[in-house]
Amino acid sequence: MDGFWAFAGNNWWLVFPLFGLASAASGSWASASKRRHKQRLEIMKAKAELTAARAAAKRGIGSASAAEVEAPSQSLADQLDDLRAVHDEVTHRWLDYELDVAKLIAFPSMSDGRDPLTAGFLRAKKVADRARPADSVKPSADQVREYRKAVTDFEVAFDLAEREARRVRDSGLTDAERKRLATASRMLAVATDDAATPAERHLAYQRVREEIDGLIALSDEAVEVLEKKVAQPLTERPNDNGDPAEAGSP
């Protein structure tokens, strides 16, 4: 050991080239990681588009994906109607997460705007919303073509984000954060349990908000939906005589 420190003391200058080699290796690993991530996204996008095309072939043009809504026999108005239907369907799928706190707890990245795929589909949604022609406007062929591309991008981007969110679930969180979400999930079950008392529901609701604070971003609409569930009337439960009575009554 003394020999090692003597060597290190006499050859301290070796630290600099070694540090340079370590930095280069780290940079090379980061670049390779970015390339792998980009390639994986491209593969996922290709698979999503292929799946959409196959599903469209089975369902028929009336319920096809946005990429398939283009047929010579269709008028611009018919194409626009089909595109709006696809747009509304994807938006509805997004709202299933946006307004459902239980789903957001199970798949937290769907509410995380810092996640690249989530941010991607949110940007694509804005583009599709802006490109959507008003109901009172007769669109041109260029407008329909632009809208088709926007809806296709929105549909594929959402599919990618949803698949990744269901794959990773909460694996990107720390152990402490996962425990908080597990507690929030249990408290959510109590908060929406019609067999619980109003006091129990309210306390559980407060715990849910505390546990997910800083982990999941709830929209005002999601909070409103949850509060309505928490405040729903208690169901009738039988009393000791077997007669129905309001929950909480003596």
Side-chain angles (χ1 to χ4, degrees):
M1 183 62 72
D2 291 339
F4 169 79
W5 289 114
F7 174 81
N10 294 328
N11 299 276
W12 57 268
W13 53 270
L14 289 173
V15 171
F16 297 102
L18 290 175
F19 179 77
L21 290 173
S23 299
S26 176
S28 176
W29 181 88
S31 298
S33 179
K34 289 182 180 179
R35 287 196 300 271
R36 288 194 298 269
H37 180 68
K38 183 178 180 181
Q39 290 171 352
R40 183 165 61 86
L41 293 185
E42 291 174 348
I43 292 172
M44 291 176 65
K45 182 174 181 179
K47 287 182 177 179
E49 291 175 336
L50 179 60
T51 300
R54 288 175 175 172
K58 292 180 179 179
R59 295 194 303 261
I61 193 65
S63 56
S65 67
E68 298 299 310
V69 181
E70 185 175 16
S73 60
Q74 279 192 307
S75 66
L76 289 179
D78 289 338
Q79 291 183 42
L80 185 57
D81 287 343
D82 287 340
L83 287 169
R84 284 173 176 152
V86 175
H87 190 169
D88 291 342
E89 179 186 2
V90 180
T91 300
H92 179 74
R93 290 169 59 196
W94 168 67
L95 288 175
D96 280 345
Y97 290 93
E98 181 72 3
L99 302 180
D100 191 334
V101 177
K103 278 192 172 183
L104 290 178
I105 291 175
F107 311 107
S109 67
M110 290 300 288
S111 70
D112 188 357
R114 298 167 300 181
D115 181 90
L117 294 180
T118 301
F121 93 72
L122 290 175
R123 288 193 299 268
K125 180 183 184 303
K126 289 182 180 180
V127 173
D129 290 344
R130 288 196 297 266
R132 181 169 182 152
D135 294 341
S136 58
V137 174
K138 184 177 181 180
S140 65
D142 288 340
Q143 286 177 309
V144 173
R145 190 177 302 109
E146 178 185 358
Y147 182 44
R148 180 184 302 109
K149 181 182 183 305
V151 174
T152 300
D153 290 345
F154 175 37
E155 184 179 29
V156 172
F158 181 83
D159 283 341
L160 292 175
E162 183 180 43
R163 291 183 186 189
E164 185 69 358
R166 289 181 173 274
R167 185 185 70 84
V168 301
R169 298 182 72 90
D170 61 0
S171 62
L173 304 178
T174 65
D175 289 341
E177 290 171 337
R178 283 195 289 270
K179 288 179 180 179
R180 287 175 58 187
L181 288 187
T183 300
S185 182
R186 292 194 300 270
M187 292 298 99
L188 182 62
V190 176
T192 56
D193 184 0
D194 61 3
T197 66
E200 290 171 336
R201 289 184 190 174
H202 180 72
L203 181 60
Y205 168 74
Q206 293 297 328
R207 283 292 306 278
V208 171
R209 298 297 303 272
E210 291 172 4
E211 295 297 341
I212 67 176
D213 183 40
L215 297 179
I216 295 177
L218 295 183
S219 65
D220 293 340
E221 293 79 5
V223 172
E224 183 179 353
V225 170
L226 177 58
E227 289 180 345
K228 286 181 178 180
K229 290 182 179 179
V230 174
Q232 64 186 342
L234 298 180
T235 59
E236 291 188 349
R237 290 179 291 181
N239 58 23
D240 293 339
N241 297 325
D243 299 324
E246 287 294 332
S249 62

